[in-house]
Structures are given as structure tokens and as C-alpha cells.
Amino acid sequence: MKADRIHNFNPGPAALPLTVLEEIQENLLDFQGSGMSITEISHRAREFDDVINDAVDRTKRLLNLDDKFEVLFIQGGASLQFCMIPMNFLPEGRSADYVDTGTWSTKAIKEAELQGKSIQVVASSAAKNYSYIPKNIAFNSDAAFVHLTSNNTIKGTQWAEFPDTKSVPIICDMSSDMMSRPLDVEKFGMLYAGAQKNVGPAGVCLVIIRKDLLDWIPDTVPTMLKYTTFAAKNSLYNTPPCFAVYTVQLVLKWLEETIGGLENMAAINQDKAQLLYGFMDGGEFYRATAQADSRSMMNVTFRLPNEDLEKQFVEQALANGLGGLKGHRSVGGCRASIYNAVSLEAVEALVGFMKTFEKANIE
Amino acid sequence: MKADRIHNFNPGPAALPLTVLEEIQENLLDFQGSGMSITEISHRAREFDDVINDAVDRTKRLLNLDDKFEVLFIQGGASLQFCMIPMNFLPEGRSADYVDTGTWSTKAIKEAELQGKSIQVVASSAAKNYSYIPKNIAFNSDAAFVHLTSNNTIKGTQWAEFPDTKSVPIICDMSSDMMSRPLDVEKFGMLYAGAQKNVGPAGVCLVIIRKDLLDWIPDTVPTMLKYTTFAAKNSLYNTPPCFAVYTVQLVLKWLEETIGGLENMAAINQDKAQLLYGFMDGGEFYRATAQADSRSMMNVTFRLPNEDLEKQFVEQALANGLGGLKGHRSVGGCRASIYNAVSLEAVEALVGFMKTFEKANIE
């Protein structure tokens, strides 16, 4: 770690690999010998074509996607996807199943309802404060799709395995765990992820869509809100968020070439999560809030004995070079987001600080 | 000009002030002593609040906006605005007037029609290949709004003055001339601009909206597609495109503090355009394509005696450090985009090259 950088446990926007930031910095005034910044070159230039094509190719390789899938870059974050999904895939007469596992699932459900679409919430963990992932769900076999949120950033839960929905495709918000582990893509009709957690900076949403779903889309959907527009033009119908796509490309390159792919990444992420949960489970001062079988490998939510100690913990951690540990304002407590770019060393430093803080504050 | 940088006449994404790029570069690993990059800090952090609030304040000062207006940052470019505008402001029973001055106007019209909205194209310069800006237009006094495109990037035309629409508010796509000259904002209900020409990098659209128009918006509009969502949360309902907003902030700071405001900027832009048009009008080798009274101060479109010479011109210009001079693929020819960040020296260098090229290629 450079002396002036901190360990960054922010929930998103979040840590990026330092080597990625250094490469951006080095080339910011002259991209690939063009004499222009990446922020100044045309999105129709060969240089940018190489960037976006490489980002698409790396996504396909990392996730083992075959030609059934399109890789798209869309602005507006996962929140815009919440409205685009029912707009594109729920024409009159069709219905979809949604599972409610917390804030982001709930928002996705609300956007479908706002459009007067027919949906059914087939499972919810709301009654237990979203502290677990539902099991044994009875999905409707005639649903157009099943919508899931793979990782719940705020509540600290994650689907360890995805349910069997038979022939019904899963559409999954993977904003906070995309590219953190290998995937069996055969279950999915669409995956999407706001980039600002594991994949890049804020300002672009990675959308992976099975091509046959594109045939469902009504002609009446506005041009910028239909997936076919992006699929037909390699995400270049209009000017894309060039800097964000470029940063995503570099993060994917780091994942492939430095980390060595998603199997390796998942192993590192397991080690990080195990270290943190294992430490907390070994004592009573820190208490992980999610049920053990539903714990997130990305967002570790926890409480201290009281709110006053939590406030001191967050402040003193920052003073010790450990940032972003405050829980989401809607739930309080503490949270360590340990996305791909957060190193094992950072988690070790956090656990070291947690031990010191506990010792200083236990009676 | 640094040795490895070229003069950048790209139509968008386009040149940014070098000092802005240098400031981004210098701070990329550690923003404001946070120990994190601007791409890694939370959009809820004090540091980012300062960025977005400063961008809003500078926009208001530069354009002399009073408290009647909101300044918003929205993703998706002007193309997403084309569909949001009728969705927000054309409920059943209302109609709007559109003026068609080229590609982008035409796209805005198509998006309203796609939604089955009632609109009337009250003027069009299509019959003369969009080479001029229509005059003496009969607007409908009961229209909800009048939609204009202030500068036509592809055809090289620009409204020198905006028409009198009486009490009907103008909604204006200013993507390619926002912040290039002072404005009488009293005529406008809404202004919008994809940032990637005069205001910043691709990935954010600056939207300035008169607050009373927010009352028109139906509750049924999806959350991420209604202006009220952005107005209620200072554009922070969901994660904004942080890097793009930050760059916009720095460009606006440059406009205020280095250039000295929009009066000064307009004078410089006039000088640049005058130099280029004046040179072409003085000879026969280069021919400006727009009618003289409709010429754009931002995008100077021109032809050479034949297409073969145009191809050589673009190639040799690039070899001489003058980039981005090819005309839009839909019209051919040449185009010099001379946005705010393109200096008078760059235009002088271009005219110098044009003289040399003419001498070498004239019989």
C-alpha cells in the first residue's frame, strides 16, 4: 500500500486495483499514442473499438459465455435496469416471479408494479429483517422470468447457490458480486451489475443477456430503453460512457492476467471472508448480522455491543487507515465490503485493528 | 501544446482543457487527502457532495440561473432525454411543437412519436439538406413546449438567436453548444446537454429545468425516468457517474476562473469561427456547407473540390498533429469542431495547414 492510500472497505463506489488506477494515470494525457486522453477520443475511433471489444471478450472468457449471450454496456446503473426489465420482458398477458431479499429486490419489484406489470413475489425474507436467503421456493412454471438479487449489499446476505427454476430463465441483479466467483450461466436469461463494486467505476452497468430474450422485446419500447438497441450496435448506438468502459476493461484484464480468473478470485474472496467471519465467530464483541448459511462473501455486516462503540469503531478505524466501515444508513451498525480489489492484507489489517479495539473497549 | 498531444477537432467526445486533465491525473490516486481515488470514494461522502454542489453552483453562476431552476446530472446522454421529455411533459390531451433542424432533432421527434405522443413538426429545413435554421415559425400557442436543437453538430448550423415562443417554454438540446455563449434563460423550460462536447467527458448529461415544469410529471413515470427523482435528491437518488461529474466540475471551474465566464468564452469562440470561415470565404478551394446566416460557431462543416482530396486532407492533417477533421459518416466532407477547449492557436494551426494543403493541391 502506498503511504497516502488507505484500505478501502466502501460498499460502492469501491476500491479499484491500484495497478489499474496507475495505468489510467500514466496514460491520461495520451491514450495509445493518439495524442488525446481516453476522455477525448471518438467512440467511433479504432482505439475505442479496441477497448470495448476487449472488455466484451474478457467478460465472455471470464464467465465462460458462449455465443448465446450478448455483453452490453448501459448507463443509468442497476436502478434503470429495474424499470427496463419489465418494460422489455413483460408484455400484456405475461407474469414474472420476484424474490425479495432486501432493499434492491424491493426496488426492482416496485418498478415493475409502477408500470402496472403482472408480477408475483414468490418468496421474501422481510419478516426476519432480510437476514437470510429463502429456500424451497415454489416458482411458477409459466413465469416469463424469475428475478433475483444475488448479493444484498445492505443486509450482508448472498445466494450461495442459485435455485433450480427449470426452464424459466433467471434475471439476476449481480451488482455487488459480479465477477467475484465462477457462474453456471446456463440458468440465466440476463445478468446485470452496476460496475462500481467489483467491475469498475460508477457510470456504467454491465448487462449480459441471452440472445433469444431479445426477440421478446416490443417495438414500442423507447430506443434507449430496449436491449436490442445496444445489442445491434455493440453498445455504440449513442456515445457510451467511454472512461467507465475503459476502466472496466482494465479491471477485467487485471482479473484475467494478474488474478488468473474467477476460480482464483473466488478462492481469495473465500479466504478474506473466512478470516473476518471466523474472527467474529470466535468471540462475542463483534456479531455478524446475517444467518450463517446466507452470509455474503462481499459485504460483511456486523454489530458491536452498542451504537456508541460502533461510532467510535468507525472513526478510530479511519484514523488507522481503514475506511468505509459504517453500515448503510437504513440499518446502522458496521459493514466491511471486501470486494475483489480489497486484498487479503487489507482484511488482515482490519482484523488486527478489530482485536486492538476490542481489547481497549472490553470491561 | 505538449509534444505528444495533438490539436483535437473531434466532434465529441472532444478536447478537454489540458489543465483539467492534468489536475485529474495528479489527484487520481488520492482525492483531497481521502487516500482514495475519485473513482473509489462514496457518492454519499462529504468529498463528493462538495464536487456535485460546486458543479451545480458554477452552472448557476455561469448561466445566471435564479432559484426557479434545478441543475441535474443524468446518465444516458441526450438520446435518453429524447424519450424522457415526452414521457414527462406530454400527458394525454397535450401536444408539443418540434422544429427539425437535422439528425438529432429528427431523433427527438421519432422518440415522441414512438410513444404515441401528440406532437407537431412546425418547421423543418430537411428539403435543403438541413443547411439552414428556419425563420418566422408559426408556433402553436397552446403547445406544452417547443423543442429545438440549438446547434446541429452534423450539419454545422446553429440558432444565432432563439425564437419568441411567447409563454410556451422552450426545451432545448444544447449538447454541442452548452456553455459556449451567454444565454437568456427566461425563454427556456429546460436545457440539456450530453457533456462530451463543451462540458466534460461522455457519461453524463447536464439537465437544467425550471421547477414549475416538475409539477407536470405523472406519477406513473418510472423512477429513473422522471426528473422529480433527480431534483428531489440532488442527482443522488442512485450512484451518479462520479468521475464524469467531477470532470464537469473542473471544466466549469476552468470556464469561470481561467476563461472568466461565458462572455469571454463567446468572444474567443467568435474569433475562432471568424478566422476559419473568413479564410474559407476568401478562396474557392474550401467551401463551408451551411448557409451564412445559420453557421455554427462550434462545428465548421466544409467540402474540398472532391472526395479524394477530402480523404487526403484528413489524413495529412492528422500526420501534422490536427485530429478529428473527418465529416460525419452520414454526410461526408470535412468538419472542424472548435468547442470551448479548442484554442485559437489550434485554429490558427489548422488554417496554416489548410493554406499549405491548398497550395500543394491546386492546379
Side-chain angles (χ1 to χ4, degrees):
Chain A
M1 190 178 71
K2 290 214 173 176
D4 55 354
R5 301 259 304 163
I6 65 168
H7 291 306
N8 180 353
F9 298 96
N10 267 334
L16 288 169
L18 181 59
T19 54
V20 165
L21 292 171
E22 286 171 339
E23 183 168 345
I24 295 169
Q25 186 179 42
E26 188 182 332
N27 298 298
L28 196 71
L29 300 189
D30 181 12
F31 182 68
Q32 305 267 2
S34 66
M36 299 176 272
S37 174
I38 181 69
T39 61
E40 300 177 302
I41 62 170
S42 171
H43 57 296
R44 311 275 175 213
R46 183 192 51 72
E47 289 92 345
F48 190 75
D49 258 344
D50 291 347
V51 167
I52 198 165
N53 289 337
D54 190 56
V56 168
D57 291 346
R58 289 186 188 276
T59 300
K60 288 184 172 174
R61 283 198 300 270
L62 281 161
L63 292 172
N64 273 318
L65 301 178
D66 61 25
D67 284 345
K68 286 201 304 286
F69 290 91
E70 294 273 1
V71 176
L72 311 176
F73 296 97
I74 303 181
Q75 295 183 62
S79 295
L80 186 63
Q81 297 302 309
F82 297 162
C83 90
M84 285 176 67
I85 290 162
M87 203 179 274
N88 280 262
F89 302 127
L90 281 183
E92 191 80 29
R94 299 227 54 186
S95 181
D97 289 354
Y98 277 68
V99 178
D100 184 13
T101 54
T103 309
W104 304 107
S105 305
T106 310
K107 288 198 180 207
I109 289 164
K110 281 195 180 147
E111 285 308 308
E113 289 172 343
L114 186 61
Q115 292 174 46
K117 299 291 187 177
S118 168
I119 66 159
Q120 196 179 334
V121 179
V122 290
S124 168
S125 50
K128 287 192 176 171
N129 197 24
Y130 297 113
S131 59
Y132 70 99
I133 298 293
K135 282 186 184 137
N136 306 316
I137 302 167
F139 294 104
N140 291 295
S141 61
D142 60 348
F145 60 84
V146 170
H147 185 275
L148 305 178
T149 312
S150 59
N151 183 75
N152 300 281
T153 329
I154 294 173
K155 308 293 182 178
T157 64
Q158 185 179 25
W159 293 80
E161 286 182 12
F162 292 98
D164 181 4
T165 57
K166 304 286 189 295
S167 65
V168 179
I170 298 175
I171 293 184
C172 192
D173 177 1
M174 292 198 173
S175 291
S176 49
D177 63 357
M178 174 69 87
M179 300 286 179
S180 70
R181 54 181 175 175
L183 270 184
D184 173 14
V185 292
E186 289 305 313
K187 292 185 169 184
F188 297 94
M190 180 175 138
L191 308 170
Y192 63 103
Q196 68 272 12
K197 284 124 188 325
N198 274 315
V199 189
V204 67
C205 188
L206 177 63
V207 174
I208 296 159
I209 192 164
R210 223 175 61 199
K211 286 178 184 168
D212 61 295
L213 268 72
L214 296 172
D215 299 333
W216 304 8
I217 302 173
D219 291 339
T220 49
V221 175
T223 306
M224 284 295 289
L225 299 174
K226 60 182 152 205
Y227 297 106
T228 38
T229 300
F230 294 85
K233 301 278 187 183
N234 196 29
S235 306
L236 295 169
Y237 168 77
N238 75 334
T239 316
C242 300
F243 177 83
V245 173
Y246 163 60
T247 308
V248 168
Q249 181 219 2
L250 296 182
V251 171
L252 299 177
K253 187 174 114 188
W254 170 83
L255 263 173
E256 270 198 299
E257 298 179 7
T258 304
I259 299 298
L262 297 190
E263 300 274 357
N264 290 1
M265 193 70 255
I268 296 169
N269 286 333
Q270 281 281 354
D271 286 349
K272 284 149 51 183
Q274 186 49 44
L275 178 62
L276 199 42
Y277 286 118
F279 164 69
M280 290 196 284
D281 290 345
E284 306 208 328
F285 191 80
Y286 302 98
R287 183 176 52 82
T289 58
Q291 284 189 15
D293 65 354
S294 302
R295 284 173 170 176
S296 169
M297 302 290 108
M298 295 281 105
N299 308 96
V300 178
T301 49
F302 57 97
R303 305 298 309 235
L304 271 66
N306 61 62
E307 288 185 12
D308 190 46
L309 280 173
E310 285 166 348
K311 191 158 171 277
Q312 288 177 46
F313 175 82
V314 171
E315 285 171 9
Q316 291 180 29
L318 183 60
N320 282 274
L322 304 159
L325 289 163
K326 199 176 165 187
H328 191 268
R329 62 198 185 287
S330 66
V331 294
C334 301
R335 170 174 53 178
S337 296
I338 50 174
Y339 299 125
N340 287 354
V342 177
S343 66
L344 182 59
E345 291 68 34
V347 179
E348 286 168 348
L350 172 59
V351 170
F353 171 76
M354 290 170 86
K355 287 178 184 168
T356 308
F357 185 86
E358 179 178 349
K359 217 171 268 175
N361 288 282
I362 211 158
E363 308 276 295
Chain B
M1 192 180 68
K2 290 213 173 178
D4 55 355
R5 299 258 306 162
I6 65 168
H7 291 305
N8 181 354
F9 298 97
N10 268 333
L16 289 170
L18 181 58
T19 53
V20 166
L21 292 170
E22 287 172 338
E23 183 169 345
I24 295 170
Q25 186 178 42
E26 189 182 332
N27 298 297
L28 197 71
L29 301 189
D30 181 13
F31 182 69
Q32 305 267 3
S34 66
M36 299 176 274
S37 173
I38 181 69
T39 62
E40 299 178 302
I41 62 170
S42 172
H43 57 295
R44 310 274 175 214
R46 181 191 52 73
E47 289 91 346
F48 190 74
D49 257 344
D50 290 348
V51 167
I52 198 164
N53 289 337
D54 190 56
V56 168
D57 290 346
R58 288 186 189 277
T59 300
K60 288 184 173 174
R61 283 198 301 268
L62 281 160
L63 291 171
N64 273 319
L65 302 177
D66 61 25
D67 284 345
K68 285 202 302 285
F69 290 91
E70 293 272 2
V71 176
L72 312 176
F73 296 97
I74 303 181
Q75 294 183 63
S79 294
L80 185 63
Q81 297 302 310
F82 297 161
C83 89
M84 283 176 68
I85 289 163
M87 202 179 275
N88 279 263
F89 302 128
L90 280 183
E92 192 79 30
R94 300 230 50 187
S95 181
D97 288 354
Y98 277 69
V99 178
D100 185 12
T101 54
T103 308
W104 304 108
S105 304
T106 310
K107 289 198 181 208
I109 290 163
K110 280 194 179 146
E111 287 307 309
E113 289 173 343
L114 186 60
Q115 292 174 47
K117 299 292 187 177
S118 168
I119 66 159
Q120 195 179 334
V121 180
V122 290
S124 169
S125 50
K128 288 193 176 169
N129 198 25
Y130 296 113
S131 60
Y132 70 100
I133 297 293
K135 284 186 183 136
N136 305 318
I137 302 167
F139 294 104
N140 291 294
S141 61
D142 60 347
F145 60 84
V146 170
H147 185 275
L148 305 177
T149 312
S150 58
N151 182 76
N152 300 282
T153 330
I154 294 173
K155 307 293 182 179
T157 63
Q158 185 178 26
W159 293 79
E161 285 182 13
F162 292 98
D164 182 4
T165 57
K166 304 287 189 297
S167 65
V168 180
I170 298 175
I171 293 183
C172 191
D173 177 0
M174 292 198 174
S175 291
S176 50
D177 63 358
M178 175 68 88
M179 300 283 179
S180 70
R181 54 181 175 175
L183 271 184
D184 173 13
V185 292
E186 289 304 315
K187 291 185 169 184
F188 298 95
M190 181 176 137
L191 309 170
Y192 63 103
Q196 68 271 13
K197 284 122 189 326
N198 273 316
V199 188
V204 69
C205 188
L206 176 62
V207 174
I208 296 158
I209 194 165
R210 222 175 61 199
K211 285 178 184 168
D212 61 297
L213 269 72
L214 296 172
D215 299 333
W216 304 7
I217 302 173
D219 291 338
T220 50
V221 176
T223 307
M224 284 295 289
L225 299 173
K226 59 182 150 205
Y227 297 106
T228 38
T229 300
F230 294 85
K233 301 276 189 185
N234 196 29
S235 304
L236 294 169
Y237 168 76
N238 74 335
T239 316
C242 300
F243 177 83
V245 172
Y246 163 60
T247 308
V248 169
Q249 181 219 2
L250 295 182
V251 171
L252 299 177
K253 187 174 112 185
W254 170 83
L255 264 172
E256 271 199 297
E257 297 179 7
T258 304
I259 299 298
L262 298 189
E263 300 274 356
N264 289 2
M265 193 70 255
I268 297 168
N269 286 333
Q270 282 281 356
D271 286 349
K272 284 148 53 182
Q274 186 50 44
L275 177 62
L276 199 43
Y277 285 118
F279 165 69
M280 291 197 285
D281 290 345
E284 306 210 326
F285 191 79
Y286 301 98
R287 183 175 51 82
T289 58
Q291 284 190 16
D293 65 353
S294 302
R295 285 173 169 176
S296 169
M297 302 290 110
M298 296 280 106
N299 309 97
V300 179
T301 50
F302 57 97
R303 306 297 311 231
L304 272 65
N306 62 61
E307 288 186 11
D308 191 46
L309 280 173
E310 286 167 348
K311 193 159 170 277
Q312 288 176 46
F313 175 82
V314 171
E315 285 170 9
Q316 290 180 29
L318 183 58
N320 282 274
L322 305 159
L325 289 164
K326 199 173 165 189
H328 191 267
R329 62 198 185 287
S330 65
V331 294
C334 300
R335 170 175 54 177
S337 296
I338 50 174
Y339 299 124
N340 287 354
V342 177
S343 64
L344 183 60
E345 292 69 35
V347 179
E348 286 168 348
L350 172 60
V351 170
F353 171 77
M354 289 169 86
K355 288 178 183 166
T356 308
F357 185 86
E358 179 177 348
K359 216 172 270 177
N361 288 283
I362 212 156
E363 308 276 296

